[in-house]
């Protein structure tokens, strides 16, 4: 799928991370045997696609060869954004700046530079704080699940340094869903989220826990008349 997008940035960032995640899951995941079967089936499907779509793939291959490592005008775009930013450094030049200059796109093809140029120093500080909070979220939950989610987020962020990924609506929806999943995952694989919630409830007075029952039983026993 990445190949057919013609996106060199997606291939550069996404393909290596995909291979690492699949390899790690095949070796370390709890259902690794099932994942190995799925991976083998997908590998066979890719081989079939190579045969059936060989002419199309050959065309794409030569596109990448001819494109080489050209920046496709990105460096010139960044220079233009920097010059515009110097006239409005606090709040930036706005999200529609490029379209007002006659471009059909709206992004500077680099997440950090885009927020700096369009939202100024204020916007970059806000983005930096958000980035800090996401690192903090994953740092507190070092599990296989959060590792995979973090890898997927890194792919989006890495692509955003070369393309429009982190300022486009559809990738941002995926980004938000991944963060939501990360928020809900337990801090440890050995203790599901339901157990963590139950443990927290046990520490809360009036929760109906075993400790609360013991606390209410003690006064009752003291008030009961002694047996003659």
């Amino acid at each position: 799928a990445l190949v057919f997008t013609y996106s060199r940035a997606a291939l550069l960032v996404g393909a290596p991370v995909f291979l690492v995640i699949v390899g790690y899951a095949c070796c370390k995941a709890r259902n690794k045997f099932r994942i190995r079967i799925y991976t083998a089936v997908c590998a066979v499907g890719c081989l079939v696609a190579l045969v059936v779509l060989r002419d199309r793939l050959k065309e794409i291959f030569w596109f990448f060869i001819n494109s080489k490592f050209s920046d496709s005008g990105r460096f010139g775009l960044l220079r233009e954004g920097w010059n515009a930013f110097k006239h409005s450094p606090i709040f930036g030049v706005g999200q529609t700046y490029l379209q007002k200059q006659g471009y059909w796109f709206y992004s500077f093809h680099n997440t950090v530079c885009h927020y700096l140029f369009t939202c100024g120093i204020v916007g970059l500080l806000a983005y930096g704080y958000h980035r800090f909070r996401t690192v903090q979220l994953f740092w507190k939950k070092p599990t296989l699940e959060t590792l995979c989610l973090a890898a997927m987020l890194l792919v989006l962020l890495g692509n955003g340094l070369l393309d429009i990924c982190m300022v486009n609506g559809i990738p941002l929806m995926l980004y938000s869903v991944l963060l939501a999943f990360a928020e809900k995952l337990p801090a440890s694989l050995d203790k599901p989220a339901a157990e963590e919630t139950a443990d927290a409830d046990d520490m809360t007075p009036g929760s109906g826990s075993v400790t609360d029952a013991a606390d209410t039983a003690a006064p009752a026993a003291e008030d009961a008349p002694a047996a003659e």
Side-chain angles (χ1 to χ4, degrees):
L2 285 176
V3 172
F4 285 104
T5 64
Y6 283 84
S7 173
R8 292 172 296 168
L11 274 175
L12 179 65
V13 179
V17 175
F18 171 76
L19 294 175
V20 170
I21 290 178
V22 171
Y24 189 85
C26 287
C27 297
K28 298 294 184 180
R30 285 173 292 180
N31 54 345
K32 55 187 175 184
F33 295 108
R34 186 184 305 171
I35 293 176
R36 290 173 184 174
I37 294 173
Y38 293 157
T39 303
V41 172
C42 290
V44 172
C46 289
L47 292 176
V48 173
L50 285 174
V51 175
V52 175
L53 303 174
R54 58 183 179 276
D55 293 333
R56 177 67 169 163
L57 291 172
K58 188 184 298 184
E59 176 186 334
I60 297 174
F61 173 78
W62 283 113
F63 167 80
F64 287 124
I65 294 298
N66 294 330
S67 298
K68 297 180 180 179
F69 293 99
S70 65
D71 67 306
S72 298
R74 284 175 170 81
F75 292 141
L77 194 66
L78 293 176
R79 283 192 294 269
E80 182 177 344
W82 175 253
N83 292 330
F85 162 77
K86 289 188 290 187
H87 296 289
S88 182
I90 304 300
F91 295 106
V93 296
Q95 294 287 337
T96 60
Y97 172 81
L98 288 175
Q99 292 173 321
K100 291 178 179 178
Q101 304 306 310
Y103 293 97
W104 64 269
F105 49 84
Y106 55 88
S107 170
F108 285 96
H109 289 66
N110 180 289
T111 306
V112 178
C113 292
H114 179 83
Y115 285 125
L116 177 63
F117 299 160
T118 61
C119 303
I121 296 174
V122 174
L124 185 63
L125 289 175
Y127 178 73
Y129 177 73
H130 170 68
R131 199 74 297 124
F132 166 74
R133 292 291 292 172
T134 55
V135 171
Q136 192 178 46
L137 168 65
F138 287 99
W139 185 264
K140 291 181 179 180
K141 299 180 178 183
T143 64
L144 177 60
E145 283 84 352
T146 54
L147 177 63
C148 290
L149 289 174
M152 286 186 276
L153 288 176
L154 285 175
V155 169
L156 292 175
L157 295 174
N159 182 269
L161 295 177
L162 300 169
D163 219 319
I164 66 172
C165 182
M166 291 303 294
V167 294
N168 183 273
I170 295 176
L172 283 176
M173 288 176 61
L174 173 60
Y175 174 81
S176 301
V177 170
L178 293 175
L179 283 182
F181 274 119
E183 286 277 5
K184 291 297 182 180
L185 283 175
S188 172
L189 287 177
D190 299 327
K191 181 177 289 190
E195 288 188 25
E196 291 187 350
T197 304
D199 291 345
D201 290 341
D202 288 345
M203 300 299 293
T204 305
S207 62
S209 64
V210 175
T211 53
D212 290 336
D215 293 340
T216 55
E222 293 177 359
D223 294 340
E228 296 181 358

